[in-house]
Amino acid sequence: MARTAIAAASLLALSYGGMNCFYTVEGGHRSILFSRLGGLQEKVYKEGLNFKMPWLHKPIIYDIRATPRRITSPTGSKDLQTVNISLRVLSRPDPNNLVTISRRLGGDFNERVLPSIVNEILKSVVAQFNASQLITQRQLVSNMVRDQLVDRARDFNIILEDVAITDLSFSAQYTAAVESKQVAQQEAQRAAILVEKAVQERQQKIVQAEGEARAATLLGAAIATNPGYLKLRRITAAKNISGTVARSNNKMYLNADSLFLNIRDTEGDTTLFNLSKEAGEIIEASKVGEEAVAGGTVPEVVAE
């Protein structure tokens, strides 16, 4: 009976020891052992099945995969504007220094380290830029924050895989001031466009008036020097009238007077010729007046 009890106790002890002598480290994890006699052991155990002494050793398992974390920090710019910046940080512990991390920081090393160093680096970098530069030079700001933050986290044996600015906002007062400035600039540009349009329209009217005056001058000169010009205009008018009538669906009978082609109407030619002479005299008189004004002498007008 005693032998049976001893055998059962031995079997139970072996079973307990066999079950508690081994532990498994999952993928993406590492472990270290805490000994009740000597404290933390220096060896880092990799993935898979590992051995430990029951009761004497206690495994501490760390997740060494990159963990995302979003940190928001209010800070001030170079021109004393309040800026709210949010960073997305991918961090993981250095697998080769897990013992040091456990001694100095413990298992919640991310909570102890990242918020403080992120606030420190953000305030240091953002203070070098104006509010407008933070927007126009965002990539430069992001690179400076990442480089300094990676170096600072390395002092705590933390590896930063990536650092990115996810949000950048300003105070409500500054945002309203920027919007008012943009509206004022747009209104100024609109006013400048309207002024330029008015100048162009005015120049167009001047050119048009000069063209009409020049055309009137040439027409008067043609009438004064060549009375046959009027007959040519009458023929052109007759051609236009006949073309319009020909395209009409209505039937219409025209005579030579309607078409300005009555060649026996000498009275009209005489009248037009007299008008052309008077136009020529007016043109000559206007030229003399312009020459007198240009020369600084104004002819005296004598009342009859």
Side-chain angles (χ1 to χ4, degrees), residues 224-287:
T225 57
N226 186 9
Y229 176 77
L230 296 175
K231 292 185 177 181
L232 179 61
R233 294 299 298 269
R234 292 173 67 179
I235 294 173
T236 304
K239 182 179 179 181
N240 293 334
I241 293 172
S242 61
T244 302
V245 173
R247 289 191 297 270
S248 176
N249 295 326
N250 300 325
K251 293 183 178 181
M252 184 179 298
Y253 296 95
L254 300 175
N255 54 19
D257 293 332
S258 301
L259 291 173
F260 300 106
L261 292 178
N262 190 357
I263 59 176
R264 289 180 292 182
D265 186 9
T266 57
E267 182 179 356
D269 290 344
T270 303
T271 303
L272 291 175
F273 181 73
N274 292 333
L275 289 175
S276 66
K277 288 181 65 178
E278 292 178 2
E281 293 174 357
I282 292 173
I283 292 171
E284 292 296 332
S286 64
K287 288 182 179 180

Side-chain angles (χ1 to χ4, degrees), residues 91-199:
S91 63
R92 62 183 180 87
D94 186 355
N96 299 321
N97 294 285
L98 291 178
V99 177
T100 303
I101 293 175
S102 182
R103 283 199 180 107
R104 293 177 56 188
L105 303 174
D108 57 345
F109 56 91
N110 277 333
E111 298 293 336
R112 293 172 178 264
V113 175
L114 288 182
S116 59
I117 65 174
V118 167
N119 287 327
E120 174 190 356
I121 298 301
L122 281 178
K123 293 181 185 298
S124 174
V125 173
V126 172
Q128 304 177 30
F129 297 88
N130 294 328
S132 59
Q133 293 175 335
L134 291 175
I135 299 176
T136 58
Q137 303 180 22
R138 179 167 179 167
Q139 187 62 41
L140 176 61
V141 175
S142 179
N143 293 337
M144 292 180 62
V145 170
R146 182 179 65 249
D147 295 341
Q148 296 186 26
L149 199 56
V150 168
D151 294 338
R152 191 74 176 88
R154 192 178 293 117
D155 297 337
F156 299 92
N157 299 305
I158 297 176
I159 300 174
L160 298 184
E161 298 287 349
D162 183 58
V163 178
I165 297 177
T166 58
D167 186 30
L168 191 152
S169 60
F170 301 93
S171 63
Q173 294 81 2
Y174 180 78
T175 303
V178 171
E179 292 178 354
S180 300
K181 181 180 178 181
Q182 293 295 329
V183 171
Q185 289 180 350
Q186 292 176 0
E187 291 179 352
Q189 292 176 356
R190 188 181 299 109
I193 293 174
L194 293 177
V195 171
E196 183 66 21
K197 181 180 178 181
V199 171

Side-chain angles (χ1 to χ4, degrees), residues 16 20 33-39 41 52-59:
Y16 175 80
N20 290 274
L33 291 179
F34 173 78
S35 174
R36 296 180 184 271
L37 299 178
Q41 305 297 308
K52 68 170 184 172
M53 293 293 295
W55 184 83
L56 182 64
H57 290 158
K58 176 185 177 182

